[in-house]
Amino acid sequence: MSTSYFVAADWLIEHSDDPEVQIIDARMAPPGQEHRDVPGEYRAGHLPGAVFFDIEALSDHTSPLPHMLPRPEAFSVAMRELGINKDKHLVVYDEGNLFSAPRAWWMLKNFGAEKVSILAGGLAAWKRDELPLQQGDVTLPEGDFDATFDATIVKRLTDVLVVSHEKTAQIVDARPAPRFNAEADEPRPGLKRGHIPGALNVPWGDLVFEGELKTTDELQAIFARQGVDLQRPIIASCGSGVTACVVILALATLGANDVSLYDGAWSEWGARDDLPVEPAK
């Protein structure tokens, strides 16, 4: 099995000596698990040859918001230092929950890498099949990565405020339903409960089964049930811009082509006192 979005472990093993394939470990701790030493977990065991794509370290540290997209120049430098080449086939994986690999996939694609796939089942499936792991850091020769970027795929708060008011696009929120519906607290302290007015809820976990996306028929049914029109523009959002990329990946497999990301997401919107929130208090 090898589609443009996923490759299977057996495909990766077959290509283990292929110099045109590079493996990228993009695991990260979800909110509430910040105490974890994820780089240490990577060093304790990762796929052979995989470099660590640290989403936290690769974010814009001039922003007070969590893991915002870095500037293209900064991303280029970081990729070259990791030894990642823009023109190779990049295979990204996470712990196996499809939580963070789609964010790395989205970043790499939108900074100009053409061939980016996700390892189906991630690290969990690899371990389950008792496939080999490597310990320690991986050092590669300097990579060739000159990032290009289309700014229209990222929306800012002002863009989203206009869309929420004028309904010129659909806002799809990937957070779990209890958080979207203001029935549960946010894992990040200081944020309100609720959602952006007019947003539709497609919880990212509903789109995933055993570390890969559900079938296209199932995905289509989920989006339809939540009232999402794949022919109209869509802005994906979530808690901090990570799991929204699961929604973007699912929409890509369904052929939706006018899809952007609100990178500030609820971490930005839910922290403000001057913005409308549903359900209204």
Side-chain angles (χ1 to χ4, degrees):
M1 180 203 78
S2 171
T3 68
S4 54
Y5 298 103
F6 286 88
V7 297
D10 54 7
W11 182 93
L12 201 52
I13 290 162
E14 282 169 28
H15 291 79
S16 58
D17 295 326
D18 186 342
E20 291 305 306
V21 174
Q22 290 195 292
I23 306 174
I24 295 172
D25 185 313
R27 67 183 105 171
M28 74 181 292
Q33 295 184 26
E34 286 82 3
H35 59 280
R36 284 172 49 187
D37 174 15
V38 180
E41 292 173 25
Y42 159 80
R43 286 190 288 272
H46 53 78
L47 268 65
V51 292
F52 185 49
F53 186 98
D54 189 336
I55 291 171
E56 295 290 355
L58 290 167
S59 60
D60 177 4
H61 294 293
T62 65
S63 170
L65 298 167
H67 32 258
M68 294 288 282
L69 204 61
R71 293 190 329 279
E73 311 78 59
F75 191 80
S76 295
V77 169
M79 292 305 98
R80 289 199 287 266
E81 287 176 352
L82 277 178
I84 293 173
N85 294 278
K86 183 173 159 180
D87 62 347
K88 295 197 172 177
H89 186 169
L90 309 178
V91 178
V92 183
Y93 70 89
D94 57 24
E95 290 184 288
N97 48 5
L98 207 62
F99 167 71
S100 55
R103 173 72 183 195
W105 164 85
W106 181 84
M107 290 173 73
L108 289 160
K109 291 284 282 185
N110 287 300
F111 279 128
E114 301 248 329
K115 291 176 286 198
V116 189
S117 303
I118 295 171
L119 177 63
L123 185 63
W126 189 267
K127 286 180 171 176
R128 204 163 48 241
D129 292 342
E130 299 182 346
L131 295 167
L133 291 172
Q134 179 183 9
Q135 292 177 326
D137 286 308
V138 170
T139 308
L140 299 176
E142 182 172 318
D144 180 8
F145 207 109
D146 184 17
T148 54
F149 187 65
D150 173 8
T152 63
I153 58 105
V154 176
K155 297 294 185 261
R156 302 188 180 283
L157 187 148
T158 46
D159 304 322
V160 178
L161 187 60
V162 169
V163 163
S164 169
H165 184 66
E166 297 182 358
K167 309 287 188 283
T168 45
Q170 304 160 97
I171 302 165
V172 176
D173 189 324
R175 290 175 302 152
R179 286 164 58 190
F180 179 86
N181 293 321
E183 296 159 359
D185 284 336
E186 288 296 305
R188 290 180 180 81
L191 300 182
K192 295 175 182 173
R193 290 184 175 195
H195 60 261
I196 299 166
L200 305 168
N201 188 208
V202 180
W204 73 275
D206 292 359
L207 304 170
V208 174
F209 180 70
E210 293 186 345
E212 52 189 309
L213 291 175
K214 292 179 177 176
T215 67
T216 50
D217 286 352
E218 289 172 302
L219 296 177
Q220 222 142 12
I222 291 165
F223 283 110
R225 192 165 61 237
Q226 299 307 105
V228 181
D229 180 351
L230 302 184
Q231 306 308 314
R232 290 188 58 226
I234 294 168
I235 301 171
S237 183
C238 59
S240 68
V242 173
T243 57
C245 294
V246 181
V247 166
I248 292 173
L249 180 68
L251 289 166
T253 67
L254 296 175
N257 51 24
D258 191 348
V259 182
S260 53
L261 174 75
Y262 172 29
D263 205 20
W266 195 250
S267 294
E268 180 175 38
W269 194 285
R272 297 270 294 253
D273 288 326
D274 57 344
L275 295 171
V277 169
E278 286 181 348
K281 292 281 182 285

